[in-house]
């Protein structure tokens, strides 16, 4: 449940978070703020210099890019602008995701489409699995990158 901040030079270890509730957390672009999900399914930010904690929203597995935060909540993927509170919703089971370098898209691992299952069934190809898509959340445009792959690809970097 702990997240530590470790100084490599001084080998000093400091407890930053004591109520971590998920495997994924994310840093602000300037490295001064950590975003994480607590054990009560709340997304919090903690300023590492002041230890000030603020609740950002409700959900799990936050990933931050600039002023945008992506997280899972009630079987959906939410992208929220933390400055103006604009929200975009991806209505599907999402397993892993990350922002593009521009922050305008997310690379997402979700369930493979029904049509891919049917097509692959007749080709004796994989019929249970996931797909990888790029989602332009502001326009809700989805582009399939890989239409069939094994589960748990764990997307963590656009590169």
């Amino acid at each position: 449940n702990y997240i530590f901040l470790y100084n490599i030079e001084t080998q000093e270890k400091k407890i930053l978070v004591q109520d971590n509730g998920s495997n994924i957390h994310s840093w602000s672009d300037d490295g001064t703020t950590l975003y994480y999900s607590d054990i009560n399914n709340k997304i919090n930010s903690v300023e590492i210099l002041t230890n000030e904690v603020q609740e950002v929203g409700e959900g799990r597995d936050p990933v931050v890019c600039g002023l945008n935060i992506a997280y899972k909540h009630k079987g959906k993927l939410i992208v929220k602008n933390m400055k103006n509170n604009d929200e975009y919703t991806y209505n599907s089971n999402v397993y892993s995701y990350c922002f593009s370098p521009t922050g305008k898209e997310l690379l997402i691992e979700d369930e493979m489409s029904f049509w891919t299952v049917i097509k692959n069934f007749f080709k004796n190809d994989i019929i249970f699995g996931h797909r990888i898509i790029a989602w332009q959340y502001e326009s809700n445009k989805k582009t399939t990158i890989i239409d069939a792959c094994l589960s748990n690809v764990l997307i963590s970097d656009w590169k």
Side-chain angles (χ1 to χ4, degrees):
N1 291 348
Y2 292 91
I3 298 176
F4 294 94
L5 185 62
Y6 184 75
N7 185 319
I8 295 173
E9 292 175 4
T10 66
Q11 298 182 350
E12 178 186 351
K13 182 169 66 170
K14 170 185 169 187
I15 296 174
L16 200 55
V17 172
Q18 295 185 39
D19 61 348
N20 182 45
S22 69
N23 294 327
I24 297 174
H25 54 274
S26 186
W27 290 94
S28 62
D29 291 343
D30 63 4
T32 62
T33 307
L34 176 71
Y35 296 85
Y36 70 98
S37 302
D38 70 16
I39 56 177
N40 298 312
N41 223 27
K42 302 289 184 196
I43 297 174
N44 296 318
S45 67
V46 59
E47 297 290 330
I48 62 168
L49 297 177
T50 65
N51 289 331
E52 180 183 344
V53 177
Q54 290 186 330
E55 186 176 317
V56 176
E58 191 173 352
R60 301 191 58 70
D61 302 334
V63 175
V64 175
C65 181
L67 295 173
N68 293 315
I69 184 169
Y71 56 92
K72 296 178 195 175
H73 183 59
K74 295 184 178 180
K76 299 175 184 177
L77 178 65
I78 309 291
V79 175
K80 178 180 177 180
N81 182 293
M82 293 182 284
K83 185 174 184 177
N84 63 21
N85 289 323
D86 287 347
E87 281 191 6
Y88 307 93
T89 303
Y90 185 83
N91 291 308
S92 182
N93 286 329
V94 172
Y95 298 92
S96 59
Y97 46 94
C98 71
F99 279 99
S100 69
T102 65
K104 302 280 185 193
E105 297 176 283
L106 283 160
L107 197 60
I108 297 172
E109 173 194 0
D110 74 353
E111 297 286 340
M112 112 176 28
S113 74
F114 175 75
W115 299 114
T116 300
V117 171
I118 297 299
K119 176 186 78 171
N120 287 356
F121 176 78
F122 289 108
K123 290 173 41 181
N124 287 328
D125 202 350
I126 182 174
I127 59 171
F128 295 106
H130 294 172
R131 67 179 174 170
I132 308 297
I133 65 156
W135 177 46
Q136 295 174 354
Y137 51 89
E138 289 182 353
S139 64
N140 199 29
K141 182 180 178 202
K142 299 171 190 140
T143 304
T144 301
I145 307 299
I146 300 172
D147 66 350
C149 62
L150 297 176
S151 306
N152 301 318
V153 175
L154 189 58
I155 297 171
S156 61
D157 193 344
W158 184 277
K159 299 171 192 168

